[in-house]
């Protein structure tokens, strides 16, 4: 079979700060046969999106395609005029963007936008285009396909919007579809539905596609072949199964290792004295009502215990209240009800009412290292402040201590005089962590600390966290949306869903079946690093927010929900035999029955 | 810091030249500004009078140099006062929030909706026109703009995680303002200072042109244009030169701000 | 129209009224700042005691300040802002004589300035970074840096004195013919256009550039939409709100310009009336003129706010 799409010697440059141009994509070449899906995989800065956009002869502001050849069928893309390119885009080559929410024009109805490219290129008349759009909506398993197009983007959920982008791309039966990280911004249970829909339309229509992603497990479900990129250069190209089974390039092996962090056995003795005890926490935003409840409650009756020297993982999807929990414990957001005890002594709700020593013992580290460090101050100043504030350390003693802290987080002392802007993402997050360590805390609240980092960098930061915990006897409250991250560092986990603690699994009972149906769904939704996983995964229900539901919050999405019970009565707290506590109407035997064992536990 | 563009360098030099002229005016001016030195009124450029003479026969070079003291001096003092008050109020509002923020924002936003020249006219109609009144009026008129900008910038910074970290550490409001927020506000506030300086110069010269600003015998550049306006019909340097002085100063400040990397153009007057 | 929009519009209206109340308090206070006895200060040392007493009564100086404010504000609202201190004529009739002239000037200026500024703003945003964009930006910096009176003076020198194309005085009694009027007003309108256009074009450009940088514009480009389609169909509907706001806010600059322009061209409008009142310290007249200008400006901003709310698709379609 001759190549349908071929790229050779592609070079894209960007204006360099010191003058001249620097290559961000260099000498990249590959070929795709008709009906084949090729994945471009790499971390941030690998040039994968730049290559994808170059397939349409498009370069973002400041970038320029400087060399090489791109052929789609008989067309030499880089030789086309501006008008020729406009004719190509949306017609013969279509693009599915990462953030559907941003890619839709808020002022236009969905149907107008979905059919736009077919109408611009004169491929279909209006009626035919709308018929085809409805057909695509149906193929993508979208609800109410007949009337969906009448809506505006903000009236549709994120997962649905992302699927509609596929309809928008496929309306013109393109020769090539480019999917640019189309599920990265989605929650894991939403992602699986979108992936399933994408895969079925791509396969059904024998579409030729380029799938751009940083996530090998996702790519394993979609692609026939994988190209691994790093710093704009190709590292390895191989069929998917072969690349996963026998990676040839060391970088590919590093990537694979980072995706499969070793599961460690919980090592904190469960009988250790409790360091942090949280009971019946209720918190939220907005003015408090007459009953003391906030206008926008986020956390409902959340409680847990962190034994000294252990790590509690808090898992949940966006909006579940996990960051709010960290803010309440840190004293940034006073709780409406409930209490927080540190070492047996009650912590005042507000920062202002806590003693300096209480403040010192609990530190917080945020997700985005970029905004967590003051850009106007040097690393040394940033680290010296908690030393002076909590320990009165000044001058030479402070200098030495800052150097020691940098060493502790495996950073060279030469970084101390630099501003945060001159550091890489991973280095910033280490400085962030060093600042927390400077206080000599007992508990560190880690809010998605590795989520903004590339997998390899994140894995290294995670290793560091583990080492420091053992060396210094620290405890963590580790917040994440990513199960494999939590699995590799935590001793116990708590699963939040719309502010309710659906499952609380202590040591030994962590993420083993039977479990809460939501936990089961979460685990089953995480893509596994093998081909064919998607086909075997169980279908998930669309996420829906149910306000003031009398019954279980999760009931509308629960595959095992009992009508008349789960949707009307609040679920009881249930103790499972292996030590987990869940909020569920179903007993252990029923749960065991609904959770088949042939699904692997991660 | 990046290298300044050639335009910015020229602009900076022009501003510095006017500043030096204003400071050294009594030393470098060839004649006392009020003395009638020739019978040839509204005269053209000559070796003795490099900028010609005015409607009474006074030396224009001396008058323009001394005029720089009024125009730039008053503008500098007013702008400094306006920015000091604006930044202080803006930071306080951003840091304290609540009723203080609400009240200050409402009142100062209402002040912005009074066009500046109109506000100056109202004040002068009541208090009459004197240098302290003009300085005070200009300072008060341009405080709300400085407030709005610094509050917006401070609120943005205060929402950043590094400020949240400082609050969680237990830092006091003063430390957070001084060490965490203020250092990140310097560039936008300086840019705003330049913009506001231009506005004040335009306001003052406009008032003087209407005859409601600086009163004779004192004369800023606006007064110089006004009193020699009859020379306009034949392009006397006595009216062109002070006008050029105003334009070179304001264009230079604006051009300099425009070339500062990362400095946005404020739009509130 | 739905409940959310109505609520927002009602909120804006209430805020607008509150702002007007604060502005009137500010204007009133500014004219009350004079220390000592206002009547004596205004009339000078040579005034007879009777004259001073009369003025005191006219200004209600025997009442406390807050009561005077209420009397004054009540008068404003009922359309009776008192009498002029200088010629004893009712302020309302003085303003009534001048208002049509100013409205004429404002209307004609708006007809020229707004389309020109929008064209400049939109085209520079479309071709941002081009030579055209840079040239326009430089010109705008030049224009906004130069005082209004300079622009007007130069116009007089060139078009009235040197070329003798246009009259230096912008008003002749009894002119009915539209083209004659336009000929008379050409220079004031031209000056005001230059004064207002810079800020308006700059803010329009900024609003549109923000929208053009958004992902859905990139998406439209990747669907093969041409530049004109992108601006007209995709960008402008979303930039409408900010652009209308920009136009309304820029009129603040025009108001300053009107004051200078009416004085230079000796045009019998409201602004000239106010400048003359300031020179004679005719406080009731100054207050009334100031409130009229502020009220007009606030109404414009309010209308722009409402238009922006109506144009927001997220609010229009719940």
């Amino acid at each position: 079979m001759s190549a349908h799409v071929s790229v050779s010697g592609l070079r894209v440059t960007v204006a360099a700060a010191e003058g001249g141009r620097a290559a961000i994509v260099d000498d990249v070449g590959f070929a795709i046969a008709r009906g084949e899906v090729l994945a471009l995989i790499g971390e941030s800065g690998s040039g994968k999106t730049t290559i994808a956009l170059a397939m349409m002869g498009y370069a973002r502001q400041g970038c320029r395609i400087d060399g090489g050849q791109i052929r789609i069928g008989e067309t030499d893309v880089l030789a086309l005029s501006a008008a020729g390119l406009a004719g190509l885009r949306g017609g013969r080559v279509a693009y599915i963007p990462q953030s559907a929410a941003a890619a839709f024009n808020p002022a236009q109805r969905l149907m107008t936008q979905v059919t736009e490219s077919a109408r611009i290129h004169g491929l279909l008349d209006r009626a035919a285009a709308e018929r085809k759009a409805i057909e695509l909506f149906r193929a993508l398993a979208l609800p109410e396909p007949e009337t969906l197009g009448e809506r505006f983007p903000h009236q549709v959920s994120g997962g649905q919007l992302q699927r509609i982008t596929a309809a928008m791309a496929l309306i013109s039966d393109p020769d090539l579809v480019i999917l640019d990280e189309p599920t990265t911004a989605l929650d894991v249970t939403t992602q699986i539905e979108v992936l399933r829909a994408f895969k079925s339309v791509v396969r059904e229509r024998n579409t030729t596609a380029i799938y751009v992603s940083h996530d090998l497990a996702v790519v394993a479900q979609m692609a026939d072949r994988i190209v691994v990129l790093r710093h704009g250069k190709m590292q390895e190209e191989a069929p998917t199964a072969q690349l996963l089974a026998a990676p040839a390039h060391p970088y590919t092996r590093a990537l694979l290792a980072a995706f499969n962090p070793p599961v460690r056995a919980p090592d904190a003795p469960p009988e250790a004295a409790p360091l942090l005890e949280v009971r019946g926490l209720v918190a939220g935003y907005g003015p408090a009502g007459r009953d003391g409840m906030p206008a926008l409650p986020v956390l409902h009756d959340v409680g847990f215990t962190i034994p000294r020297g252990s790590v509690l993982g808090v898992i949940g999807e966006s909006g579940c209240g996990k960051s709010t929990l960290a803010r309440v414990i840190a004293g940034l957001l006073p709780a409406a009800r409930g209490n927080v005890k540190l070492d047996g002594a009650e912590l005042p709700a507000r920062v202002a009412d806590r003693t300096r020593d209480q403040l010192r013992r609990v530190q917080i580290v945020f997700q985005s290292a970029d905004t967590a460090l003051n850009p106007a101050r040097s690393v040394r100043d940033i680290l010296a402040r908690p030393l002076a504030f909590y320990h009165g350390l000044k001058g030479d003693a402070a200098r030495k201590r800052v150097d020691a802290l940098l060493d502790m987080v495996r950073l060279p002392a030469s970084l101390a005089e630099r501003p945060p802007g001159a550091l890489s993402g991973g280095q910033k997050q280490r400085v962030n962590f060093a600042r927390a360590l400077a206080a000599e805390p007992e508990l560190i609240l880690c809010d998605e600390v590795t989520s903004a980092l590339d997998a390899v960098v994140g894995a290294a930061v995670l290793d560091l966290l583990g080492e420091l915990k053992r060396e210094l006897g620290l405890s963590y409250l580790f917040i994440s949306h990513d199960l494999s991250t939590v699995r590799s560092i935590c001793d116990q986990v708590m699963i939040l869903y719309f502010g309710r603690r659906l499952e609380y699994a202590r040591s030994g009972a962590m993420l083993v079946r039977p479990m809460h149906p939501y936990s089961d769904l979460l685990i089953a939704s995480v893509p596994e690093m093998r081909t064919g996983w998607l086909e075997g995964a169980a279908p998930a229900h669309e996420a829906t927010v149910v306000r003031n539901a009398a019954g279980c919050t999760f009931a509308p999405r629960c595959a095992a929900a009992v009508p008349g019970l789960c949707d009307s009565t609040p679920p009881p707290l249930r103790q499972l035999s292996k030590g987990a506590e869940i909020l569920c109407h179903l007993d252990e035997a029923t749960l065991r029955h609904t959770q088949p064992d042939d699904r692997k536990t991660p | 810091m990046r290298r300044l563009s050639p335009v910015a360098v020229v602009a900076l030099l022009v501003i510095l030249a006017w500043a030096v002229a204003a400071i050294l005016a009594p030393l470098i001016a060839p004649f006392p500004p009020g003395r009638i030195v020739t019978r040839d009124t509204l005269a053209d450029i000559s070796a003795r009078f490099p900028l010609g003479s005015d409607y009474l026969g006074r030396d224009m070079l001396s008058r323009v140099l001394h005029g720089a003291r009024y125009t730039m001096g008053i503008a500098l003092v007013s702008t400094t006062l306006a920015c000091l008050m604006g930044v202080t109020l803006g930071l306080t509002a951003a840091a304290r929030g609540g009723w203080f923020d609400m009240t200050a924002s409402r009142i100062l936003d209402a002040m912005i909706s009074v066009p500046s020249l109109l506000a100056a006219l109202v004040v002068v109609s009541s208090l009459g026109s004197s240098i302290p009144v003009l300085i005070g009026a200009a300072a008060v008129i341009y405080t709300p703009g400085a407030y709005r900008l610094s509050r917006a910038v401070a609120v943005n910074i205060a929402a950043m995680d590094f400020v949240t970290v400082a609050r969680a550490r237990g830092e006091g409001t003063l430390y957070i303002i001084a060490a965490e927020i203020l250092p990140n506000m310097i560039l936008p506030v300086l840019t705003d200072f330049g913009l506001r300086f231009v506005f004040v110069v335009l306001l003052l010269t406009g008032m003087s042109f209407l005859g409601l600003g600086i009163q004779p015998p004192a004369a800023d550049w606006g007064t110089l244009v006004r009193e020699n306006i009859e020379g306009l019909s034949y392009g006397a340097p006595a009216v062109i030169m002070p006008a050029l002085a105003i334009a070179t100063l304001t264009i230079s400040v604006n051009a300099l701000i425009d070339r500062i990397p990362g400095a946005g153009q404020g739009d509130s007057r | 129209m739905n409940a959310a929009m109505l609520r927002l519009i009602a909120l804006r209206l209430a805020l607008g009224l509150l702002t007007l109340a604060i502005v009137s308090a500010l204007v009133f206070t500014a004219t009350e700042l004079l220390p000592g006895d206002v009547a004596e200060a205004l009339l000078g040392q040579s005034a007879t005691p009777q004259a001073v007493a009369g003025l005191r009564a006219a200004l209600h100086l025997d009442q406390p300040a807050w009561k005077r404010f209420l009397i004054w504000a009540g008068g404003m609202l009922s359309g009776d802002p008192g009498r002029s201190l200088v010629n004893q004529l009712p302020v309302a009739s003085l303003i009534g004589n001048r208002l049509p002239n100013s409205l004429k000037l404002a209307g004609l200026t708006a007809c020229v300035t707004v389309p020109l500024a929008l064209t400049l703003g939109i085209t520079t945003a479309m071709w941002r970074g081009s030579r055209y964009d840079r040239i326009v930006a430089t010109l705008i910096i030049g224009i906004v840096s130069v005082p209004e009176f300079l622009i007007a003076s130069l116009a007089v020198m060139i078009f009235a004195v040197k070329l003798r194309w246009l009259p230096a005085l912008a008003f002749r009694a009894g002119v009915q013919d539209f083209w004659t009027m336009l000929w008379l007003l050409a220079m004031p309108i031209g000056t005001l256009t230059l004064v207002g256009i810079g800020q308006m074009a700059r803010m329009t450009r900024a609003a549109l550039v923000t929208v053009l940088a958004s992902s859905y514009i990139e998406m439209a480009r990747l669907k093969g939409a041409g530049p004109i389609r992108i601006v007209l169909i995709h960008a402008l509907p979303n930039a409408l709100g900010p652009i209308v706001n920009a136009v309304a806010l820029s009129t603040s600059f025009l108001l300053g310009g009107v004051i200078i322009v009416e004085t230079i061209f000796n045009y019998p409008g409201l602004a000239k009336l106010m400048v003359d009142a300031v020179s004679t310290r005719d406080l009731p007249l100054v207050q009334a003129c100031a409130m009229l200008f502020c009220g007009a400006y606030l109404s414009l901003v309010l209308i722009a706010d409402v238009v922006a709310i109506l144009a927001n698709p997220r609010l229009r379609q719940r």
Side-chain angles (χ1 to χ4, degrees):
Chain A
M1 195 154 54
S2 73
H4 174 53
V5 174
S6 73
V7 175
S8 61
L10 182 65
R11 180 180 163 86
V12 183
T13 59
V14 64
E18 57 277 358
R21 300 192 71 82
I24 50 172
V25 169
D26 199 11
D27 194 22
V28 165
F30 49 80
I32 316 172
R34 189 174 287 279
E36 193 183 23
V37 178
L38 176 85
L40 300 179
I41 192 144
E43 308 193 303
S44 54
S46 64
K48 52 190 191 300
T49 295
T50 312
I51 298 172
L53 291 173
M55 299 303 293
M56 286 173 283
Y58 184 82
R60 289 211 166 121
Q61 197 98 45
C63 303
R64 196 169 72 199
I65 303 171
D66 257 359
Q69 198 183 42
I70 298 174
R71 283 194 162 278
I72 297 173
E74 294 307 306
T75 313
D76 182 354
V77 173
L78 300 183
L80 289 175
S81 64
L85 281 175
L88 179 85
R89 295 172 186 159
R92 296 188 52 205
V93 187
Y95 181 71
I96 298 180
Q98 174 173 157
S99 167
F104 277 100
N105 186 333
Q108 287 186 354
R109 290 180 199 281
L110 291 168
M111 183 57 85
T112 317
Q113 303 190 57
V114 168
T115 56
E116 182 175 18
S117 53
R119 282 181 291 114
I120 291 177
H121 300 295
L123 300 170
L124 296 169
D125 64 34
R126 189 191 165 95
E130 295 193 351
R131 270 199 307 279
K132 184 157 185 191
I134 290 169
E135 185 192 313
L136 280 164
F137 291 160
R138 198 169 286 129
L140 288 159
L142 284 159
E144 299 166 42
E146 303 287 341
T147 53
L148 184 67
E150 297 305 306
R151 300 202 213 163
F152 282 84
H154 63 275
Q155 297 166 326
V156 175
S157 80
Q160 291 171 0
L161 267 188
Q162 198 68 53
R163 275 181 273 166
I164 297 171
T165 58
M168 188 157 74
L170 295 172
I171 192 88
S172 54
D173 284 325
D175 292 339
L176 175 67
V177 177
I178 290 155
L179 299 100
D180 188 2
E181 301 248 20
T183 64
T184 304
L186 304 175
D187 277 327
V188 58
T189 56
T190 315
Q191 165 173 281
I192 187 170
E193 284 308 291
V194 174
L195 279 180
R196 211 188 299 269
F198 281 3
K199 178 145 194 179
S200 82
V201 291
V202 165
R203 285 283 171 249
E204 238 166 62
R205 286 159 195 268
N206 198 27
T207 311
T208 314
I210 292 180
Y211 195 104
V212 174
S213 179
H214 71 285
D215 190 336
L216 263 172
V218 165
V219 159
Q221 312 313 316
M222 301 294 296
D224 302 308
R225 262 183 323 128
I226 297 178
V227 169
V228 180
L229 293 157
R230 189 185 192 194
H231 303 320
K233 293 196 177 71
M234 285 173 62
Q235 309 292 315
E236 181 170 1
E237 180 184 354
T240 304
Q242 184 192 327
L243 188 120
L244 295 181
H249 197 280
Y251 179 66
T252 315
R253 284 200 287 271
L255 271 183
L256 277 166
F259 278 109
N260 284 323
V263 183
R264 45 171 281 277
D267 56 8
E271 62 274 14
L275 175 65
L276 189 80
E277 282 180 273
V278 174
R279 291 282 159 266
L281 215 57
V282 175
Y285 300 93
R290 207 168 295 156
D291 54 352
M293 289 289 284
L296 257 169
V298 175
L299 292 174
H300 307 268
D301 192 22
V302 171
F304 55 87
T305 305
I306 303 182
R308 191 176 284 278
S310 87
V311 181
L312 169 71
V314 181
I315 306 178
E317 298 179 280
S318 48
C320 73
K322 45 193 196 301
S323 292
T324 304
L325 179 63
R327 293 174 62 83
V328 171
I329 297 171
L332 294 166
L333 179 76
R337 281 184 206 151
N339 60 51
V340 179
K341 278 185 184 166
L342 184 69
D343 231 357
E346 174 130 6
L347 271 181
R350 292 166 199 281
V351 163
D353 302 328
R354 295 187 183 177
T355 67
R356 200 163 275 204
D357 194 54
Q358 283 171 331
L359 291 167
R360 177 190 64 76
R361 294 166 72 184
V362 181
Q363 293 289 309
I364 186 164
V365 178
F366 287 108
Q367 166 178 10
S368 167
D370 286 331
T371 62
L373 299 173
N374 189 339
R377 316 185 70 190
S378 71
V379 168
R380 181 175 299 285
D381 286 349
I382 289 170
L383 295 183
R385 180 59 194 175
L387 295 177
F389 187 79
Y390 291 124
H391 305 292
L393 229 52
K394 288 196 180 69
D396 210 36
R399 269 193 93 72
K400 281 195 185 125
R401 182 76 187 130
V402 168
D403 292 344
L405 282 167
L406 285 173
D407 188 50
M408 232 186 257
V409 295
R410 319 283 184 264
L411 286 177
S414 57
L415 287 185
E417 314 310 328
R418 296 203 197 155
L423 307 184
S424 73
Q427 289 173 330
K428 281 183 211 165
Q429 199 56 293
R430 283 162 194 262
V431 172
N432 223 340
F433 213 73
R435 173 172 56 192
L437 292 177
E440 294 173 25
E442 288 158 38
L443 174 70
I444 301 184
L445 312 170
C446 303
D447 189 358
E448 300 263 15
V449 286
T450 59
S451 305
L453 303 175
D454 283 326
V456 173
V457 180
V461 169
L462 221 54
D463 280 347
L464 175 70
L465 257 64
E467 281 172 40
L468 289 168
K469 182 195 129 188
R470 281 187 293 279
E471 281 169 28
L472 306 171
L474 293 167
S475 309
Y476 301 136
L477 176 85
F478 193 89
I479 293 169
S480 180
H481 68 281
D482 181 14
L483 276 162
S484 65
T485 311
V486 167
R487 203 160 43 114
S488 68
I489 190 165
C490 297
D491 303 303
Q492 40 174 358
V493 291
M494 174 165 88
I495 292 177
L496 288 182
Y497 185 76
F498 285 113
R500 287 192 168 77
R501 192 194 73 179
L502 292 193
E503 173 153 0
Y504 179 37
R506 304 205 196 144
S507 312
M510 202 169 88
L511 305 177
V512 289
R513 294 200 167 85
M515 54 176 81
H516 194 282
Y518 176 58
S519 318
D520 185 49
L521 172 65
L522 267 182
I523 290 175
S525 302
V526 178
E528 289 170 25
M529 193 77 77
R530 60 183 170 91
T531 53
W533 165 82
L534 186 62
E535 287 74 8
H541 290 265
E542 200 77 41
T544 37
V545 187
V546 180
R547 287 203 172 277
N548 304 322
C552 173
T553 344
F554 184 61
R557 293 180 70 193
C558 184
V562 181
L565 174 66
C566 294
D567 49 11
S568 58
T569 317
L573 189 66
R574 198 178 282 279
Q575 190 83 37
L576 299 183
S577 57
K578 282 180 180 161
E581 280 174 17
I582 61 172
L583 277 178
C584 191
H585 285 292
L586 306 177
D587 61 23
E588 191 160 350
T590 318
L591 285 173
R592 200 184 298 280
H593 183 68
T594 59
Q595 294 167 13
D597 278 336
D598 57 345
R599 260 186 273 147
K600 277 201 319 189
T601 336
Chain B
M1 194 71 192
R2 268 204 306 183
R3 231 160 46 87
L4 287 172
S5 71
V7 178
V9 173
V10 172
L12 194 62
L13 286 177
V14 171
I15 299 166
L16 284 178
W18 278 125
V20 169
I23 294 165
L24 299 182
L27 299 176
I28 57 178
F31 302 98
R35 183 186 297 167
I36 295 172
V37 289
T38 172
R39 284 195 193 157
D40 190 8
T41 59
L42 293 172
D44 213 345
I45 290 168
S46 63
R48 187 148 180 258
F49 305 114
L51 300 185
S53 66
D54 80 347
Y55 74 112
L56 292 176
R58 296 174 288 196
D59 175 43
M60 270 316 287
L61 175 60
S62 308
R63 288 186 69 72
V64 168
L65 287 176
H66 279 270
R69 292 170 79 84
Y70 288 103
T71 298
M72 293 186 72
I74 294 176
L76 199 64
V77 175
S78 309
T79 315
T80 309
L81 282 175
C83 285
L84 277 180
M85 290 193 285
V87 171
T88 311
L89 285 171
L91 273 174
T92 318
R96 290 190 55 176
W99 65 268
F100 182 89
D101 186 19
M102 289 260 284
T103 321
S105 293
R106 272 270 74 74
I107 294 177
L108 290 160
D109 274 355
M111 286 170 75
I112 285 185
S113 62
V114 185
S116 45
L117 190 55
L118 194 76
L121 286 179
V122 171
V123 172
V124 164
S125 71
S126 152
L127 292 184
S129 189
S130 65
I131 288 177
V133 168
L134 288 173
I135 289 178
V140 170
I141 287 169
Y142 289 109
T143 297
Y147 164 82
R148 189 187 262 189
L149 174 107
S150 53
R151 181 186 170 277
V153 174
V155 163
N156 273 342
I157 299 171
M160 302 263 232
D161 285 342
F162 64 83
V163 177
T164 313
V165 167
R167 277 178 37 222
R169 195 190 301 141
E171 301 282 6
T173 309
L174 262 181
Y175 173 87
I176 288 179
I177 288 180
E180 305 284 1
I181 298 181
L182 210 50
N184 290 297
M185 286 180 61
I186 291 173
L187 190 64
V189 166
L190 271 185
T191 314
D192 185 62
F193 181 90
L195 273 179
R196 238 151 271 290
F197 179 82
V198 171
F199 288 146
V200 176
V201 168
L202 295 181
L203 175 74
L204 283 174
T205 51
M207 289 292 286
S208 293
F209 181 80
L210 291 175
L212 301 167
I214 308 283
Q215 300 299 316
D220 72 333
W221 290 340
T223 315
L224 293 183
V225 175
R226 173 190 170 83
E227 62 191 17
N228 297 307
I229 195 79
E230 55 185 286
L232 186 69
S233 52
Y234 46 94
V239 61
I240 304 288
M241 290 307 167
L244 264 181
I246 300 170
T248 49
L249 177 66
T250 50
I251 290 177
S252 297
V253 175
N254 264 337
L256 182 63
I257 293 168
D258 202 50
R259 294 298 191 287
I260 293 176
Q265 286 282 341
D267 59 358
S268 58
R269 191 163 185 175
Chain C
M1 198 70 103
N2 55 48
M5 281 172 99
L6 279 177
R7 203 171 321 120
L8 255 179
I9 291 172
L11 187 72
R12 286 298 145 90
L13 250 161
L15 274 180
L17 287 177
L18 177 64
T19 308
L20 191 65
I22 297 174
V23 166
S24 57
L26 287 171
V27 167
F28 183 79
T29 322
T31 49
E32 287 275 318
L33 288 173
L34 198 57
D37 191 305
V38 180
E40 264 176 37
L42 287 178
L43 293 177
Q45 305 232 318
S46 55
T48 60
Q50 289 90 332
V52 172
L55 185 57
R56 287 180 66 94
L59 292 178
H60 303 284
L61 286 181
D62 40 349
Q63 311 268 10
W66 64 270
K67 235 180 202 169
R68 285 205 302 280
F69 174 63
L70 289 184
I71 293 171
W72 173 76
M76 281 283 165
L77 284 177
S78 61
D80 174 27
R83 283 173 181 275
S84 158
L85 295 182
V86 175
N87 51 23
Q88 308 307 321
L89 291 170
V91 168
S93 73
L94 284 172
I95 287 179
N97 289 337
R98 299 292 192 96
L99 192 58
N101 290 337
S102 279
L103 286 178
K104 212 185 302 168
L105 184 60
L108 287 169
T109 305
C111 287
V112 180
T113 310
V114 174
L116 256 177
L118 289 184
T119 311
L120 273 181
I122 291 169
T123 49
T124 48
M126 270 177 79
W127 295 298
R128 62 194 175 286
S130 69
R131 179 179 297 243
Y132 166 73
D133 181 29
R134 284 202 302 274
I135 290 173
V136 172
T138 311
L139 285 178
I140 285 178
I141 286 186
I143 291 171
V144 297
S145 305
V146 173
E148 301 93 342
F149 65 83
L150 217 61
I151 297 174
S153 304
L154 281 176
V156 170
M157 186 173 115
I158 294 169
F159 294 108
V161 178
K162 290 274 192 268
L163 298 173
R164 297 182 178 278
W165 289 353
L166 298 166
L169 296 183
F171 187 80
R172 257 175 230 171
V175 173
Q176 294 297 328
D177 172 35
F178 178 76
W179 294 110
T180 315
M181 189 177 78
L182 210 59
W183 174 69
L184 283 169
L185 286 177
M187 270 201 291
I189 293 173
T191 309
L192 283 176
T193 302
L194 278 180
V195 168
I197 202 169
Q199 206 65 17
M200 216 180 273
R202 190 141 84 176
M203 286 165 79
T204 305
R205 179 185 180 279
L208 201 54
V209 162
T210 312
V211 172
L212 284 173
S214 52
S215 297
Y216 58 81
I217 297 295
E218 182 174 68
M219 190 65 223
R221 207 167 282 146
L222 292 177
K223 281 199 273 185
I228 293 177
R229 183 181 178 86
I230 282 178
V231 169
L232 291 184
I233 311 268
H234 288 280
L236 273 182
N238 287 295
L240 192 63
I243 288 178
V244 172
N245 267 321
V247 170
L249 291 173
S250 309
T251 50
S252 169
F253 288 77
L254 276 176
L255 276 176
V258 167
I259 294 173
I260 300 280
V261 163
E262 287 192 0
T263 308
I264 288 187
F265 294 100
N266 213 1
Y267 184 78
L270 215 53
K272 178 83 168 70
L273 182 69
M274 181 170 173
V275 172
D276 292 342
V278 172
S279 338
T280 54
R281 305 182 81 174
D282 193 347
L283 290 185
L285 192 51
V286 171
Q287 289 168 335
C289 289
M291 283 316 295
L292 213 58
F293 278 124
C294 291
Y297 175 64
L298 282 175
S299 317
L300 274 179
V301 173
L302 187 67
I303 291 170
D305 265 349
V306 172
V307 170
I309 292 172
L310 293 177
N312 186 335
R314 282 167 211 263
L315 291 171
R316 205 167 49 205
Q317 310 288 336
R318 282 191 315 107

